[in-house]
Amino acid sequence: MIKQSLYGIVILALAYPALSAKWPNHERDEPENFVYEGRREHPGGFIKDFYGLLANCVPDANAGGSSIAAQWVRFAYHDMSTHNIDEGIGGLDGSIRYELDRDENIGLNFTLRSFVGHANRYLSFPDIIAVGVIGAIATCGGPLIPFRSGRAFSGQAGPFGVPAPDQDLADHLEIFRRQGFNQEEMIGLVACGHTLGGVRNRDFPYLVPPNPDPSVPNIQNFAPTPKFDNGIAKEYLAQTTNDVLVIGVNETTRSDLRIFSSDGNEMMEVLAHDGTFSNTCRHLLERMINTVPSGVALSDVVELLPVKVGPTFLGIADGLANAYDRLTLRTDIRLLDPNPNRIVTLYWSDCFGGDTIYAAQPYNISDASSAITKALGHSPVRYWFAAPVDIPASVSKFWFSVDEGNGEPPTICDNDGEGHVIKQDEVLLAPTLSWVDSESSNTTQIVIGVKGDSTSSQIYGKAHDPEGDNGSALEIDISFTLDESIQSVGGYSFYRSSTISSLSFSFDISTVVDGRTYTEEFLRSFFITKSSDS
Ligand code: HEM
Ligand SMILES: *[C@@H]1O[C@H](CO)[C@@H](O)[C@H](O)[C@H]1NC(C)=O
Ligand SMILES: *[C@@H]1O[C@H](CO)[C@@H](O)[C@H](O)[C@H]1NC(C)=O
Ligand SMILES: *[C@@H]1O[C@H](CO)[C@@H](O)[C@H](O)[C@H]1NC(C)=O
Ligand SMILES: *[C@@H]1O[C@H](CO)[C@@H](O)[C@H](O)[C@H]1NC(C)=O
Ligand SMILES: *[C@@H]1O[C@H](CO)[C@@H](O)[C@H](O)[C@H]1NC(C)=O
């Protein structure tokens, strides 16, 4: 016995690096998806387009006249601002969510909306804020900031500590030191932030005078363009800047002037060189989003995967493939660049164990590119499959062939030879009978098909909401009752959940059959969305 388990441990340790590259691997795939694509989409109806909110960096009159990108960068800085390097506390931890009524966070309460409802088990609320900075900077033409996941959500308010324009240089030097940045880095970080957006009369009436025309957003921009560029430094040195924190009539609130000139303009001279600005800001903003409490360990840099198989499930009573009386294998594969000559085929084998192989073609191909992938020179495309599957045969595993149409033999994507394994078909999602109604009521209802004659007492679920207060995820119990109004199909009966009042991202549903428990994680993005959710 002991020998065997020791042997097992050795094998596990050796096999780990290879296994970790395999599918499924939500820890790897969810952060990769979110930072490189910036949206979650399922053609069944769900789309939550995070980077889409950035509206290509165009200033937004409804948001007070600056770009959404500017607001996201300021939001992240203010969240990080309370970091205390001496005590190893605070940083990018999402505590700003509980600090929005403070004067030091004036004007940011509306911005919170952008970040809510994207987190999941593998990506925390402060991770979403960090991805927001990366998306904002790239969308405005700035550098690509590497992403590491793993920030812990504090779930409660932290100390005060955001700098204000009327503090003196010594105060600002001390605040930035406490945040982990020296004088040169302070100058850089302020310039990297203040290349976007500006100061609003609404938030700082004593800095920006009222505007006689109330229909025009009253904002005084820091820099000449909405883009992420070194105009802020060039105009400052040329003394043509419009940055109110440099040229404001009241000397007390000229904080940018005091900071920028504090080293005799040396750092600003460096930043005004084309090329240096981008590179310097990439490092400083990376440090800003990676400033976390001392106990938090971030992941390795999340790399863009060249081939990626998405969240997959067997659906039942699924209208998408007109397969109400069959199962539907829903999966997708994302490839790095488009190729109109390419033919992608899904193959699978059944549970009978014979040599029969089934095949299906994608029902849709969609663009999965973003400002981030484009900056890397790629426009990934996703091939969507919804293949009808006979119920008794079911699916044991599936794989893909990719024929680029160039005369070369097709590439097989089969999870390093193992195939992509479907673990169970005892409890299945009925995706087109399940729904989320997040915008109007934040409610969800799930319908599942259960094989055999399981009684409802043996079916239970938990909704997992990662955005609970105090940083702990909320686990909400879900009960199911047999819904006899839905005709059973192929030995599956249908159970409807209680109405769940939560924006939970994922749901673990379990059923007990013959003493064995089968658990499946269903993602909200698999469901039909009742009302718009963007
Ligand atoms: C001494 C340090 C700083 C002071 C006193 C300061 C002050 C301000 C003020 C007064 C505004 C106007 C906000 C409004 O009208 O709603 C502002 C905007 C902004 N700040 Fe700072 N800031 C500082 C450092 C930083 C840093 C380090 C960053 C990021 C790296 C940053 C990023 C931004 C951005 C992007 C905006 C524009 C927001 C928008 O247009 O909505 N700031 N800052
Ligand atoms: C944000 O705060 C301002 C000022 O306190 C308030 O007028 C506004 O209604 C708030 N907006 C939201 C979305 O909470
Ligand atoms: C300048 O600003 C400071 C800080 O807001 C304020 O206390 C002071 O009264 C202002 N001075 C003038 C002349 O408006
Ligand atoms: C395919 O996907 C695109 C983009 O997601 C969508 O606009 C289009 O309607 C889809 N077509 C079909 C046939 O589903
Ligand atoms: C839905 O959730 C959002 C964000 O958590 C919240 O602001 C809103 O009040 C909720 N709506 C209802 C009807 O509960
Ligand atoms: C969160 O923690 C604070 C302080 O520890 C406590 O006062 C509060 O009741 C907690 N909130 C929840 C929802 O547990």
Side-chain angles (χ1 to χ4, degrees):
M1 250 341 238
I2 286 168
K3 247 187 193 165
Q4 221 172 355
S5 71
L6 274 178
Y7 183 68
I9 288 165
V10 171
I11 293 297
L12 211 74
L14 287 176
Y16 182 71
L19 277 178
S20 71
K22 282 201 184 150
W23 182 95
N25 183 339
H26 296 308
E27 283 79 4
R28 172 198 61 190
D29 289 350
E30 272 299 318
E32 195 264 11
N33 180 76
F34 206 71
V35 71
Y36 287 105
E37 297 180 43
R39 70 179 166 263
R40 297 198 183 89
E41 181 173 14
H42 204 286
F46 182 97
I47 176 152
K48 202 149 171 102
D49 188 356
F50 184 53
Y51 288 171
L53 300 174
L54 289 165
N56 295 319
C57 192
V58 174
D60 179 353
N62 294 323
S66 72
S67 64
I68 301 295
Q71 295 161 39
W72 286 10
V73 171
R74 180 168 175 247
F75 193 91
Y77 173 62
H78 284 221
D79 190 27
M80 185 286 276
S81 233
T82 51
H83 180 63
N84 186 320
I85 197 171
D86 305 324
E87 294 172 33
I89 56 165
L92 208 71
D93 60 5
S95 63
I96 192 170
R97 194 163 170 167
Y98 304 87
E99 300 161 358
L100 290 169
D101 54 354
R102 296 178 179 176
D103 281 347
E104 65 183 35
N105 290 325
I106 183 118
L108 285 172
N109 57 354
F110 189 75
T111 307
L112 172 66
R113 259 189 106 210
S114 300
F115 301 108
V116 172
H118 297 281
N120 62 30
R121 276 203 171 94
Y122 316 103
L123 211 53
S124 69
F125 176 70
D127 282 341
I128 302 296
I129 299 174
V131 172
V133 172
I134 296 170
I137 302 298
T139 300
C140 294
L144 214 54
I145 302 166
F147 178 60
R148 299 169 189 271
S149 63
R151 286 162 198 78
F153 180 31
S154 90
Q156 53 182 297
F160 286 75
V162 179
D166 59 358
Q167 292 163 319
D168 63 21
L169 182 64
D171 283 348
H172 286 153
L173 281 166
E174 169 52 21
I175 289 172
F176 278 84
R177 185 207 64 78
R178 193 226 327 120
Q179 295 170 352
F181 297 88
N182 66 24
Q183 177 174 5
E184 194 179 79
E185 292 161 346
M186 169 182 78
I187 300 167
L189 198 59
V190 174
C192 299
H194 290 176
T195 180
L196 300 177
V199 182
R200 289 176 184 74
N201 165 264
R202 187 190 71 194
D203 301 334
F204 291 90
Y206 59 91
L207 291 177
V208 176
N211 185 331
D213 180 357
S215 69
V216 183
N218 189 353
I219 185 166
Q220 187 162 343
N221 292 320
F222 293 123
T225 74
K227 286 284 181 197
F228 190 93
D229 59 30
N230 63 359
I232 179 78
K234 284 184 168 167
E235 283 204 342
Y236 165 77
L237 291 172
Q239 300 190 354
T240 56
T241 185
N242 201 33
D243 176 348
V244 71
L245 301 180
V246 174
I247 58 162
V249 285
N250 187 340
E251 264 184 53
T252 314
T253 49
R254 288 181 188 166
S255 56
D256 278 3
L257 176 63
R258 284 189 293 274
I259 289 170
F260 292 166
S261 63
S262 65
D263 66 348
N265 291 340
E266 238 178 77
M267 186 63 184
M268 292 305 274
E269 298 275 2
V270 170
L271 292 172
H273 279 288
D274 293 325
T276 345
F277 185 76
S278 173
N279 218 18
T280 309
C281 292
R282 183 164 72 90
H283 289 298
L284 290 172
L285 291 168
E286 180 181 13
R287 283 207 20 224
M288 178 178 94
I289 63 173
N290 290 350
T291 297
V292 292
S294 54
V296 176
L298 299 180
S299 74
D300 289 343
V301 171
V302 176
E303 306 282 357
L304 178 64
L305 295 171
V307 177
K308 185 166 184 195
V309 176
T312 297
F313 67 100
L314 275 180
I316 188 156
D318 186 342
L320 188 67
N322 274 329
Y324 284 102
D325 56 345
R326 300 163 91 181
L327 304 178
T328 307
L329 174 58
R330 292 222 220 185
T331 188
D332 70 83
I333 184 168
R334 192 194 72 196
L335 302 171
L336 217 44
D337 288 295
N339 172 2
N341 300 322
R342 179 188 293 141
I343 294 175
V344 181
T345 309
L346 167 71
Y347 293 101
W348 70 96
S349 51
D350 59 32
C351 291
F352 299 147
D355 295 334
T356 314
I357 287 172
Y358 308 78
Q361 297 303 317
Y363 70 87
N364 202 353
I365 303 173
S366 67
D367 176 20
S369 66
S370 70
I372 311 282
T373 64
K374 285 181 180 149
L376 289 168
H378 294 294
S379 295
V381 278
R382 173 166 283 121
Y383 298 77
W384 297 96
F385 295 86
V389 171
D390 286 335
I391 287 184
S394 194
V395 178
S396 60
K397 62 180 180 179
F398 66 95
W399 62 97
F400 300 88
S401 92
V402 178
D403 183 344
E404 297 290 352
N406 57 3
E408 300 285 317
T411 310
I412 306 299
C413 303
D414 63 355
N415 208 23
D416 290 347
E418 285 179 11
H420 302 82
V421 173
I422 298 287
K423 285 186 304 186
Q424 59 90 23
D425 60 5
E426 301 289 337
V427 50
L428 300 179
L429 182 68
T432 54
L433 298 175
S434 306
W435 49 263
V436 279
D437 189 359
S438 53
E439 213 56 18
S440 57
S441 65
N442 301 340
T443 54
T444 301
Q445 209 169 57
I446 303 171
V447 176
I448 54 170
V450 177
K451 206 176 181 176
D453 54 1
S454 321
T455 62
S456 56
S457 65
Q458 291 172 292
I459 301 164
Y460 52 92
K462 276 192 188 303
H464 180 89
D465 183 341
E467 297 181 41
D469 284 339
N470 286 348
S472 50
L474 295 175
E475 300 281 354
I476 302 156
D477 288 322
I478 311 169
S479 59
F480 286 88
T481 47
L482 184 66
D483 187 339
E484 284 172 296
S485 73
I486 311 170
Q487 214 188 336
S488 65
V489 211
Y492 286 87
S493 313
F494 291 92
Y495 291 82
R496 185 177 291 279
S497 77
S498 45
T499 301
I500 307 157
S501 299
S502 155
L503 275 176
S504 297
F505 182 83
S506 62
F507 306 88
D508 293 320
I509 315 287
S510 306
T511 175
V512 183
V513 179
D514 295 335
R516 265 190 79 179
T517 304
Y518 298 88
T519 301
E520 191 76 28
E521 181 186 21
F522 297 122
L523 306 185
R524 191 179 67 201
S525 57
F526 294 161
F527 307 172
I528 291 300
T529 309
K530 262 191 163 178
S531 58
S532 104
D533 186 39
S534 49

